[in-house]
Amino acid sequence: MEKIVKIVKLGHDDSNLIYWLSRSFIQRLEELEKLRNEVNQRMYGNQQGFQRVYRVVKREQC
């Protein structure tokens, strides 16, 4: 198998855009979720949940 390298200017390669436009909305969301999970796994490891807990308190006006 022969390697082929194609050099293009940034923003001039439409193959990526064409690929994503050919996918359905659901397929794009599923891939986005998969990428988000991969990034979170790399950055945070096995940590799950919120880093902080906030409590919302309703104040009465004076």
Side-chain angles (χ1 to χ4, degrees), residues 30-44:
E30 287 171 351
E31 190 63 30
L32 179 63
E33 181 66 16
K34 188 170 128 182
L35 291 171
R36 188 188 67 79
N37 286 331
E38 287 177 13
V39 169
N40 283 337
Q41 183 65 33
R42 286 185 189 157
M43 292 182 70
Y44 304 113

Side-chain angles (χ1 to χ4, degrees), residues 19-58:
Y19 171 80
W20 286 110
L21 290 176
S22 71
R23 301 290 166 222
S24 72
F25 178 73
I26 298 299
Q27 289 172 321
R28 285 183 269 169
L29 282 178
E30 287 171 351
E31 190 63 30
L32 179 63
E33 181 66 16
K34 188 170 128 182
L35 291 171
R36 188 188 67 79
N37 286 331
E38 287 177 13
V39 169
N40 283 337
Q41 183 65 33
R42 286 185 189 157
M43 292 182 70
Y44 304 113
N46 291 329
Q47 293 178 354
Q48 292 184 356
F50 298 108
Q51 293 182 358
R52 294 174 181 83
V53 176
Y54 293 98
R55 184 177 357 180
V56 178
V57 178
K58 182 177 179 181

